[in-house]
Amino acid sequence: MNTLTLIKREIKLSIRNFGLILSYSSFFLLSLLIFTFGVGPDLKQLNTVYIPIIWVIMLFAIILVSDNFLLSDFQDGSLRELQFLGYSEESIIISKTVVMYLVLITPHFFLIPIFSIFYNMNFNDLFQLSLDIFIGMPSLILISLIASLLTIQIKRNKVLQFIIIMPFYVPIIVFTTSNYDGILYSSFELNKILILIGFFLITLPITLLLGKLILNEINK
Amino acid sequence: MIFKFANPNKFLRISKFLFPYFNVFFLISFVYGLYLSFFNSPPDYLQGETVRIMYIHVPCAWFSLMLYSSIAICGFFSLVFRHTLADIAIRAIAPLGACFTIATLITGSIWGKPTWGTWWVWDARLTSELVLLFLYVGIISLSNAFESKSKGDKYAAMLSLVGIINLPIIKWSVDWWNTLHQPASISKFSSPSIDTVMLIPLFVMTLSFLFLSLNIIIIRIKSEILQRKIDILNSSKIN
């Protein structure tokens, strides 16, 4: 029940701060455009790099935006207040993750199919990409939230967030883009989905536990 | 038992006693290991003399992983038992681990050129080692990013614990992704596929790296403890 109240609060705040959602989507689309200019107009080439590009852009966008979801709450004291009111640290993190997913990722299920037309994507690849985003993004959001929490008190070095977070993104990026030969390449995509679910199941308890520890440390 | 010896003052006393012995052990094993590696082990039938780089590369790779595991263990002790020495150990071990990782990557590249025909491939194990380097960089940067050392220590401990998830991925990456890198030659669960003539120098070199690591860690922990004592004295002077 507590978590639901927090989710409602976060959704309200996100709707009020609609500019952030707009900036996120604009950043996504503009980056895609820049990559396109970089790679060149050859559709065949663009088609091969389209999926990795999407994942890289989403990753950067999530890292940049996750800070906004926490920083304002930290600066105006809401984070401390929520804990004081009795909301558990886990529910704070879960609510932020759910809302980030709903507000930032969901629009991509409409945006990506539209843009995929420009990159000559076939329906099967598009379906697979959407499924990967659907399953893979919660892990990415959880990790980026933890990195934001870790660096929330650092004013000077924000690049540190990227340094901390990158190693944890690698397995997810590897499995979602399937760049490597071997077990994934030769077998059905179902393996990939199961691995992504596995990553999420590993990430969830660890990030919740870590988030609780960091939130307690922040409010000391 | 661990807590009995993990007291900073007791650590200083014990390390003072052990340090010269470790130095001697390191020198003996290093010289003997180099002799075995260069003069008492045969060249590989396929790779020729270049195989000798293995005696540096493999121990470096083992220690890059082992030191990360020890950081994670320290992280656990720091978070669960709030032990100061564990915090200090993380600060002391992380740069050494990063150095071993860099050494692994460099020696691997030098070995890769004549063997694979290229300095670098985006092979699973190489990439994982590079990722490990970034994990080390993250821990080092995070522990130094805060004005309060204790805060940096806590966060670095947390990060190291999460990063430990990456270690099994590195370990089994060769099996997961069937790439250029050879599978593990020395395994606990099966008989090693490497000949004893090569295995002995490898173990002697590993032993020498172990003593070298212990020496460096002792020096770094010692200086960190002394630095903290100076900080406390300085802050009490200001107050």
Side-chain angles (χ1 to χ4, degrees), chain B:
Chain B
M1 174 78 178
I2 293 170
F3 299 107
K4 197 180 156 192
F5 290 108
N7 178 297
N9 288 327
K10 211 166 254 181
F11 174 84
L12 285 176
R13 247 179 292 140
I14 295 166
S15 62
K16 197 179 176 185
F17 170 75
L18 288 174
F19 188 68
Y21 291 105
F22 284 166
N23 262 327
V24 173
F25 289 147
F26 161 65
L27 275 174
I28 294 170
S29 55
F30 189 63
V31 172
Y32 185 56
L34 282 181
Y35 165 75
L36 288 178
S37 313
F38 281 108
F39 305 109
N40 210 18
S41 70
D44 187 68
Y45 78 101
L46 201 66
Q47 298 175 30
E49 298 291 343
T50 51
V51 79
R52 291 185 204 283
I53 206 161
M54 170 183 76
Y55 303 116
I56 300 285
H57 174 74
V58 174
C60 279
W62 281 345
F63 276 95
S64 66
L65 292 170
M66 227 186 282
L67 289 177
Y68 194 85
S69 313
S70 57
I71 285 177
I73 293 166
C74 290
F76 175 77
F77 275 98
S78 162
L79 291 175
V80 177
F81 303 107
R82 300 189 180 275
H83 212 288
T84 325
L85 199 65
D87 292 335
I88 295 171
I90 293 174
R91 267 181 200 271
I93 298 169
L96 181 66
C99 288
F100 273 123
T101 315
I102 292 169
T104 308
L105 291 170
I106 292 171
T107 51
S109 289
I110 297 168
W111 195 8
K113 183 66 182 163
T115 316
W116 298 335
T118 176
W119 295 103
W120 181 266
V121 277
W122 289 100
D123 161 88
R125 199 179 272 191
L126 273 78
T127 314
S128 305
E129 197 68 20
L130 188 67
V131 170
L132 184 68
L133 178 65
F134 287 118
L135 271 174
Y136 275 122
V137 173
I139 289 171
I140 296 165
S141 317
L142 195 64
S143 59
N144 293 312
F146 297 88
E147 280 172 24
S148 144
K149 261 190 178 177
S150 63
K151 196 147 256 184
D153 289 338
K154 285 282 164 292
Y155 286 172
M158 289 173 196
L159 185 64
S160 64
L161 267 184
V162 183
I164 198 79
I165 302 161
N166 204 46
L167 278 179
I169 297 173
I170 294 167
K171 176 73 185 75
W172 287 293
S173 58
V174 176
D175 304 325
W176 283 7
W177 300 302
N178 181 25
T179 48
L180 266 177
H181 204 287
Q182 65 180 58
S185 311
I186 301 156
S187 166
K188 196 178 158 189
F189 303 107
S190 59
S191 57
S193 60
I194 184 171
D195 194 88
T196 328
V197 194
M198 287 173 160
L199 196 62
I200 291 167
L202 189 61
F203 275 122
V204 176
M205 283 305 282
T206 308
L207 208 65
S208 77
F209 273 57
L210 173 72
F211 288 119
L212 174 70
S213 311
L214 286 172
N215 277 340
I216 295 171
I217 290 167
I218 285 174
I219 293 169
R220 285 187 57 82
I221 291 181
K222 233 178 181 175
S223 58
E224 187 61 37
I225 291 172
L226 294 175
Q227 182 63 52
R228 283 179 192 220
K229 281 185 179 175
I230 292 167
D231 289 346
I232 291 167
L233 283 174
N234 281 340
S235 62
S236 62
K237 245 186 212 173
I238 293 164
N239 293 330

Side-chain angles (χ1 to χ4, degrees), chain A residues 150 153-154 156 160 163-164 167-168 170-171 174-175 180-183 199 202 206 210 213-214 217-218 220, chain B residues 79 82 122 124 127 131 134-135 137-138 141-142 145-146 151 154-155 158-159 162-163 165 169 176-178:
Chain A
L150 277 171
Q153 286 172 307
I154 305 168
R156 289 169 297 170
L160 189 59
I163 298 173
I164 293 169
F168 301 101
V170 171
V174 164
F175 283 107
Y180 288 86
D181 293 344
I183 181 168
F199 271 125
I202 294 169
I206 291 168
L210 204 68
L213 285 172
I214 301 169
E217 192 67 34
I218 287 171
K220 257 184 188 172
Chain B
L79 291 175
R82 300 189 180 275
W122 289 100
T127 314
V131 170
F134 287 118
L135 271 174
V137 173
S141 317
L142 195 64
F146 297 88
K151 196 147 256 184
K154 285 282 164 292
Y155 286 172
M158 289 173 196
L159 185 64
V162 183
I165 302 161
I169 297 173
W176 283 7
W177 300 302
N178 181 25

Side-chain angles (χ1 to χ4, degrees), chain A residues 180-200:
Chain A
Y180 288 86
D181 293 344
I183 181 168
L184 293 175
Y185 193 76
S186 55
S187 46
F188 185 57
E189 297 288 355
L190 182 68
N191 280 354
K192 191 159 85 174
I193 287 160
L194 290 176
I195 288 170
L196 286 176
I197 292 171
F199 271 125
F200 175 66

